[in-house]
Amino acid sequence: MAMKAYPDRDPMSPDDPSCSDISHIGDHSDAPGHLPPCIAGGFEVRVQHQALDIEAEVAPIIRNPNIGAVVNFIGVVRQCGDIDDVVALEIEHYPGMTEQSLWGLLEEAIARWQVDAVKIVHRVGRIALGHPVVLVVVAAPHRAAAFDACEFLMDLLKTQAPFWKKEIRRDGTCEWVEAKSRDDSATERWG
């Protein structure tokens, strides 16, 4: 997804009013069939093949003078998953549906907590051991809302977002990752 352009504004400016405006969420006027992309420092959902640049993703959020807490979760490919010799993950998704699902989770978090910015960036494709797969960043005036919203988003992302993962072994064989009951239990606590 491309970023929405605001030609007379500096999108990295913390006082850019578009950084805190969520009125565009749910407005599908600029891209039929897709939720609109958002702007730097506000609310964003993105699915991409490119590697994550954590610093570049978080920097615009930190610049907002109303934010007192930024909490992030970075999910990384680990060696010991369902099998013990993982060298990569292959992640697939359903384009369009995945982004829509992530926007739904983001909107639910906004309804539950006072947050000023939320960014969800998830990679797809083949991702090597030790590389980030997902980044969830939540910013709020106070830490409690930021922590709760971030944990909520990750719990629901694990169970409700349409991503499919294969663990690739050192010998080249692979195996689909099954849903985990502990992830379902974590989601249940949010009601």
Side-chain angles (χ1 to χ4, degrees), residues 32-169:
H34 294 285
L35 288 168
C38 78
I39 50 140
F43 298 88
E44 182 174 0
V45 164
R46 203 168 65 245
V47 176
Q48 66 185 38
H49 283 89
Q50 300 86 359
L52 296 174
D53 182 345
I54 306 302
E55 186 176 339
E57 298 289 354
V58 175
I61 295 171
I62 292 172
R63 291 189 186 113
N64 183 331
N66 298 318
I67 291 174
V70 177
V71 173
N72 65 62
F73 173 85
I74 304 166
V76 179
V77 177
R78 65 179 181 267
Q79 186 174 21
C80 300
D82 287 352
I83 53 179
D84 290 336
D85 61 344
V86 174
V87 295
L89 282 179
E90 182 76 33
I91 300 177
E92 297 179 9
H93 77 299
Y94 191 105
M97 179 187 281
T98 303
E99 291 85 353
Q100 211 163 25
S101 173
L102 295 175
W103 272 110
L105 299 178
L106 187 150
E107 289 173 335
E108 192 170 341
I110 291 169
R112 289 176 179 236
W113 293 279
Q114 180 186 353
V115 296
D116 292 327
V118 175
K119 183 178 283 197
I120 303 171
V121 185
H122 203 296
R123 289 192 62 195
V124 292
R126 189 178 178 118
I127 305 154
L129 179 67
H131 289 258
V133 174
V134 62
L135 170 67
V136 175
V137 183
V138 179
H142 304 285
R143 72 178 184 266
F147 274 112
D148 289 346
C150 190
E151 191 169 16
F152 166 84
L153 287 165
M154 271 313 304
D155 285 347
L156 272 72
L157 190 151
K158 294 276 291 181
T159 58
Q160 296 182 13
F163 290 103
W164 297 273
K165 298 189 282 187
K166 276 193 285 190
E167 292 177 330
I168 315 288
R169 294 183 175 117

Side-chain angles (χ1 to χ4, degrees), residues 21 27 135:
D21 176 22
D27 171 16
L135 170 67

